[in-house]
Amino acid sequence: MSQPRSLQFSRRGMLAAGGALGLTAVLAACGSEKKDGEKKDGAAKAGPWSFKDDRGKTAEREATPKNIVAFTGVAAALFDYGIECKGVFGPTKTKDGKADVQAGDMDVSKLTVIGNEWGRFNIEKYAGLAPDVLISTMFDAKGTLWYVPEESSDKILKLAPSVGISVYDRQMTQPLQRILALAESLGADVRSDKVVKAKKRFEDASERLRKVAKAHKDIKVLVGSASQDLFYVSGSDLSADLEYFKALGVNIIEPPEKAKKESGGWFENLSWENVDQYDADLIMMDNRTSALQPTVLDESKPTWRKLPAVKAGQVIPRVTEPIFSYAKCAPILEDLADAIEKAKKLKKSA
């Protein structure tokens, strides 16, 4: 993945390679009304609020937070549960002003963006929002809050309590459960028909992927990310989505541990001359704006065009930093099941 520096390697390299996920801090004013003006069934309760996060720390306020600042992906997940955010940090808008893939269904024109890129976090703007709580994900064992610059984290974290949700070295189902619990604490109606149906769709999609993977064990899936100089091959360890895919039986190509050492165990770095090192029937490519997309590679990288999976049109996006709501994660599983089911077994590279 691309952009960090905490697992004894460059965070920038991790973000570019697709080995980790991104975090956008969002200032969310938790409204007590829905978009259509109807009252939410899960309105925030009066009285003290607290939430114990995945660092083992408990964030507390005298009342349910209204000014919520969260990483963009977390804000997008909370939005799916009816908790709206006014401000965010992390990849939110593309260069043309449109919504980044990590922004989900949020209207980015209505968000206060505290920082749109890695290392950018406007502390003055953050303070001006009078934040009640800051929420982010975590991609290491130390509990580092994603997209909160470490060099200024002391100043930032003094302004409001913080909540960290771990997406490190665990399956997708765990952060899904934790974000749901967090949303409920903030006033979301997690028993609404919409949420119940989304969770059921996710469970059905999981079971379908399990069956498809079992029926197509011979289909080898390579998970990649591209930069101008390197091609990154992600292993299934550490990433919440890939760990879950593997648990469901997907045949993911695994780089040797020695090759992943310099990235802290996330991925292997390959030069474009060696991009054909693995025989893949299906390639999943990092869909984040920080990574080069297949359309660009088709035009600029001859060795990419020669890969059997590329020639066969068996390349699909990988949602490298999932929005951890059931509504957003179910389609990820459905799309992967469809791709594996349709994929043809390909001949090895010459």
Side-chain angles (χ1 to χ4, degrees):
M1 306 161 109
S2 64
Q3 280 171 344
R5 259 190 201 182
S6 84
L7 300 173
Q8 299 180 348
F9 65 100
S10 154
R11 291 192 174 184
R12 183 169 298 279
M14 182 171 161
L15 282 180
L21 311 175
L23 213 277
T24 304
V26 179
L27 279 169
C30 307
S32 61
E33 299 192 3
K34 290 184 178 178
K35 259 186 171 183
D36 57 7
E38 295 177 0
K39 293 287 184 180
K40 293 195 303 181
D41 293 331
K45 297 178 181 179
W49 172 88
S50 67
F51 186 84
K52 187 175 183 179
D53 74 0
D54 292 339
R55 299 170 297 180
K57 297 183 179 181
T58 300
E60 298 178 303
R61 300 295 301 193
E62 293 182 358
T64 301
K66 292 185 177 181
N67 291 339
I68 304 169
V69 178
F71 169 68
T72 300
V74 173
L78 292 175
F79 183 86
D80 285 348
Y81 294 120
I83 306 298
E84 296 190 31
C85 301
K86 287 185 177 178
V88 298
F89 60 85
T92 307
K93 296 179 180 180
T94 58
K95 291 180 180 179
D96 59 4
K98 294 181 180 179
D100 187 274
V101 292
Q102 295 188 57
D105 294 332
M106 295 188 295
D107 183 347
V108 297
S109 68
K110 295 181 179 179
L111 297 173
T112 298
V113 181
I114 297 168
N116 200 57
E117 300 174 2
W118 182 260
R120 301 293 180 85
F121 192 107
N122 189 317
I123 300 177
E124 290 74 21
K125 186 180 287 188
Y126 172 61
L129 290 169
D132 292 324
V133 66
L134 180 147
I135 308 169
S136 186
T137 50
M138 302 180 297
F139 286 93
D140 61 29
K142 298 190 304 180
T144 306
L145 295 177
W146 194 239
Y147 269 84
V148 175
E150 290 188 70
E151 62 273 14
S152 54
S153 62
D154 288 346
K155 292 181 180 179
I156 294 168
L157 298 180
K158 284 179 181 179
L159 296 173
S162 62
V163 170
I165 301 297
S166 179
V167 296
Y168 173 74
D169 196 16
R170 61 201 58 209
Q171 294 181 24
M172 177 183 277
T173 47
Q174 290 176 274
L176 275 170
Q177 292 164 2
R178 294 293 286 147
I179 291 288
L180 183 71
L182 176 61
E184 182 176 24
S185 79
L186 294 170
D189 179 11
V190 300
R191 296 169 185 79
S192 69
D193 188 54
K194 178 183 177 181
V195 174
V196 170
K197 285 182 177 178
K199 191 169 186 294
K200 177 65 164 54
R201 180 181 174 185
F202 176 84
E203 292 167 348
D204 290 345
S206 297
E207 186 56 31
R208 177 166 177 253
L209 180 56
R210 187 193 305 277
K211 291 178 179 178
V212 168
K214 184 177 181 180
H216 300 271
K217 290 180 180 178
D218 60 332
I219 298 298
K220 294 181 180 180
V221 181
L222 183 144
V223 182
S225 183
S227 70
Q228 188 60 42
D229 299 322
L230 294 171
F231 184 79
Y232 310 91
V233 179
S234 294
S236 63
D237 294 335
L238 306 183
S239 296
D241 61 333
L242 304 186
E243 286 201 12
Y244 192 50
F245 299 162
K246 187 175 182 179
L248 293 174
V250 175
N251 186 0
I252 296 175
I253 292 173
E254 300 285 355
E257 291 302 316
K258 186 177 181 180
K260 297 188 294 180
K261 189 175 181 180
E262 63 180 283
S263 72
W266 290 95
F267 50 83
E268 176 183 12
N269 300 337
L270 292 179
S271 66
W272 282 104
E273 290 75 18
N274 297 316
V275 74
D276 61 351
Q277 182 167 317
Y278 299 102
D279 292 306
D281 302 299
L282 177 66
I283 299 177
M284 300 181 71
M285 288 296 291
D286 186 351
N287 76 331
R288 293 172 302 173
T289 52
S290 58
L292 295 183
Q293 297 306 303
T295 51
V296 175
L297 301 178
D298 290 341
E299 298 175 356
S300 61
K301 301 296 182 184
T303 51
W304 162 263
R305 295 196 299 268
K306 292 179 181 178
L307 295 177
V310 175
K311 288 182 178 180
Q314 295 181 176
V315 178
I316 64 171
R318 175 201 175 192
V319 183
T320 307
E321 295 193 44
I323 292 169
F324 285 102
S325 71
Y326 289 104
K328 290 296 184 295
C329 286
I332 294 174
L333 303 181
E334 293 166 351
D335 291 345
L336 180 54
D338 286 344
I340 293 174
E341 196 168 47
K342 294 174 183 175
K344 296 178 181 178
K345 185 65 183 175
L346 303 175
K347 294 181 179 180
K348 294 184 178 180
S349 302

